Amino acid sequence: MSTVSVMWLSCSWIPLLAWWVLRNSARFKKNIVIGVTLPHEARDDGQVVAILTNYRRQQLACTIVLVAVALACAAAGTLRAWAGPLIVCWTLWILAACVVPETVFALANHKLAGLKDERGWRREEMGRGRHVTVADIGAAAQPYTRVSGIWFVLICAVSLVPALLDRNNVVVYLLFAACVLMVWVTFRWCYRDRSEVVDDNTTLTQTLTRIRRRAWARVYLVMAASFALMSWAQLLFRGSADLYLIGMMLPCAVLGIVAFATEMRMRGLQERLTKASGEGLYVDEDDRWIFGIFYYNPDDAKLMVNERVGVNTSINLARPAGKAIMAALALLLLCLPVAGALMADDFGTPVTLELSGQAIHARHSLTSYEIDMDDVVSIELIDQLPQMTRTLGGAAETFLEGDFSSERYGTLKVCLDPEVGPWLLVRTGDGRTYLLGASDATQTKAVLEEAGVDRR
């Protein structure tokens, strides 16, 4: 299977996951449905039901189209000539998969919010002419058990053990350990103490708050453990490309499953526990949530806040840091097509190899190696590539580039076309080993001939 096909198939499930979560948003939880807070009487209103039904249909149609496009492009990915355009389309598809479903949500939210205004369901219009803010001080004061930071320290220590056993890839293991520490820091920074106030039922507030805190801790502990498992996969499976790929993807899959299951369980509990709410006093913060998605509250000094439904957090766009983070995320999404164009260039650019100016030059796209012939100790022509594990670099059917490791040759600097042999194994006096090979086999053989027999 081609790299392009794998790229498309590896992301084809994203619209399905988004559909499952966004479809669930059409069910009342904490008196909220698709980001709009409504009284209990609105749950059976004909117009509300019609808006929700239409919303579900639009989300389903959007998902079907996105998945169909992904599968069609995955099938077309087997055609080598289409690799570049399909990669650019892949980045555009990622952008659409992130934006389109949320746009459908925002439009439905806007329509339902308009109906809410028409019916006089906003809290300030219900008799007192002012917005009501509810703070359950009793629930907030209840003691609870925090997850000890010792767990994160232990996981970090476990992730560092492979560094003692494999000195060649210490930097990689340190990166995994740093990721564990970053998870811990993020957990401490993002963890909000705010209570899950729905109405004047203190017992309900305590229960919902306790559920969220436990769910939050579970996800972050699994996230930290995933990085530790990746560190061990780097150590144990570096000699097998297939096992290495499985070892890296399996922790990510487990984390995704745990996060998704935790989110859906949290939503289910919120729905079940708040079924009877919305008839008397209840919290309505719709004016602080733009389209039910973006939190904007100048009176809130916090940067990170709980999302009203589920277990996630959101950014307060009223804070300067919140605006900066959102701008960076938007810029990142808009840069996806540029990244796609660069990746397409990688697939379309051949690997070149030449000997000029008493130096061997190997080039592919942004990767370039220059080896002075005075530093060369030996040059060997090999007809079969060794089993290698990528440490840092790029890999596809038409190129391998960057840092790799091999049980037979150790650490390698690689720049070659894996489909066109033979290849050159170049060793230098400073202990480095290069594995090189052009997309045109005649270039590889020409370099060997020009280098001289005494260096083979």
Side-chain angles (χ1 to χ4, degrees):
M1 184 179 294
S2 70
T3 301
V4 175
S5 296
V6 171
M7 290 168 61
W8 278 99
L9 289 175
S10 65
C11 296
S12 60
W13 55 271
I14 293 177
L16 294 172
L17 191 65
W19 169 74
W20 194 270
V21 174
L22 292 172
R23 177 178 177 272
N24 181 267
S25 297
R27 302 173 66 91
F28 278 88
K29 291 170 283 292
K30 301 168 67 175
N31 306 310
I32 301 169
V33 63
I34 53 174
V36 179
T37 306
L38 298 174
H40 196 279
E41 66 187 78
R43 301 187 184 192
D44 297 322
D45 183 86
Q47 287 185 270
V48 172
V49 172
I51 291 174
L52 297 180
T53 301
N54 187 53
Y55 164 77
R56 293 190 190 96
R57 289 173 180 169
Q58 290 178 346
Q59 287 289 4
L60 179 60
C62 174
T63 301
I64 292 173
V65 171
L66 287 170
V67 173
V69 169
L71 295 179
C73 291
T78 56
L79 301 175
R80 183 66 58 81
W82 289 19
L86 284 174
I87 289 175
V88 176
C89 290
W90 178 71
T91 56
L92 293 172
W93 181 89
I94 293 286
L95 182 61
C98 293
V99 174
V100 174
E102 293 294 338
T103 301
V104 173
F105 180 95
L107 292 174
N109 171 274
H110 180 70
K111 189 172 183 178
L112 188 58
L115 178 63
K116 176 180 178 179
D117 289 335
E118 292 177 9
R119 298 295 184 86
W121 287 333
R122 285 198 180 273
R123 296 297 301 174
E124 60 266 31
E125 296 176 3
M126 297 182 65
R128 287 185 285 182
R130 58 189 177 88
H131 182 80
V132 178
T133 300
V134 178
D136 196 329
I137 299 175
Q142 290 295 316
Y144 62 93
T145 304
R146 282 183 177 271
V147 174
S148 174
I150 294 177
W151 288 106
F152 291 95
V153 173
L154 289 176
I155 293 173
C156 182
V158 170
S159 69
L160 284 172
V161 172
L164 303 176
L165 306 175
D166 178 18
R167 298 299 178 88
N168 292 328
N169 294 295
V170 171
V171 174
V172 178
Y173 303 125
L174 290 177
L175 286 175
F176 284 124
C179 289
V180 174
L181 293 177
M182 183 61 66
V183 170
W184 182 22
V185 171
T186 305
F187 173 74
R188 297 288 299 176
W189 181 54
C190 294
Y191 195 101
R192 310 317 304 168
D193 292 338
R194 181 185 176 188
S195 300
E196 297 289 307
V197 183
V198 178
D199 50 31
D200 55 353
N201 186 334
T202 299
T203 302
L204 175 62
T205 299
Q206 292 174 352
T207 302
L208 291 173
T209 302
R210 184 169 59 251
I211 291 172
R212 174 184 280 271
R213 287 167 178 166
R214 288 179 177 176
W216 190 253
R218 184 186 306 116
V219 171
Y220 268 76
L221 282 173
V222 173
M223 188 185 303
S226 296
F227 285 115
L229 290 174
M230 290 180 192
S231 181
W232 278 92
Q234 173 71 31
L235 172 68
L236 298 175
F237 306 134
R238 63 184 184 275
S240 171
D242 294 335
L243 290 177
Y244 180 81
L245 180 62
I246 294 173
M248 289 297 173
M249 293 186 65
L250 189 59
C252 295
V254 171
L255 174 61
I257 291 172
V258 170
F260 180 73
T262 301
E263 173 72 16
M264 299 311 295
R265 174 173 169 76
M266 182 71 181
R267 286 169 172 257
L269 290 172
Q270 289 173 338
E271 179 182 355
R272 179 159 54 89
L273 293 172
T274 60
K275 276 186 176 181
S277 182
E279 293 185 347
L281 176 66
Y282 61 90
V283 175
D284 184 346
E285 295 182 325
D286 288 359
D287 59 332
R288 301 170 185 173
W289 290 87
I290 302 170
F291 295 119
I293 302 173
F294 306 107
Y295 183 71
Y296 187 93
N297 185 6
D299 297 326
D300 191 344
K302 295 176 180 176
L303 175 62
M304 306 295 296
V305 297
N306 296 338
E307 287 194 358
R308 295 179 294 174
V309 173
V311 74
N312 290 325
T313 59
S314 187
I315 300 170
N316 186 0
L317 296 180
R319 306 264 68 82
K323 293 183 178 70
I325 293 173
M326 183 56 65
L329 292 175
L331 181 62
L332 183 63
L333 284 175
L334 293 175
C335 285
L336 280 174
V338 178
L342 294 175
M343 293 171 64
D345 180 65
D346 270 350
F347 277 77
T349 302
V351 181
T352 62
L353 188 63
E354 63 177 349
L355 177 60
S356 64
Q358 290 300 306
I360 299 175
H361 299 272
R363 300 184 183 89
H364 176 257
S365 191
L366 300 179
T367 299
S368 178
Y369 295 130
E370 181 176 342
I371 309 169
D372 195 314
M373 288 299 298
D374 292 334
D375 296 331
V376 174
V377 174
S378 67
I379 300 178
E380 178 183 349
L381 189 69
I382 61 175
D383 296 318
Q384 184 175 358
L385 290 175
Q387 284 284 343
M388 296 183 294
T389 300
R390 178 177 50 176
T391 303
L392 181 65
E397 311 94 73
T398 57
F399 67 88
L400 297 176
E401 59 184 12
D403 297 334
F404 287 70
S405 61
S406 166
E407 287 189 354
R408 183 175 179 181
Y409 299 114
T411 302
L412 295 169
K413 297 286 186 181
V414 177
C415 184
L416 58 83
D417 186 330
E419 294 187 337
V420 181
W423 303 273
L424 299 182
L425 186 70
V426 182
R427 293 186 174 91
T428 59
D430 58 3
R432 294 186 179 184
T433 304
Y434 296 84
L435 189 54
L436 312 173
S439 298
D440 183 353
T442 58
Q443 293 183 10
T444 304
K445 294 177 181 178
V447 169
L448 182 65
E449 293 174 357
E450 294 175 22
V453 179
D454 60 312
R455 295 188 181 273
R456 281 182 283 178

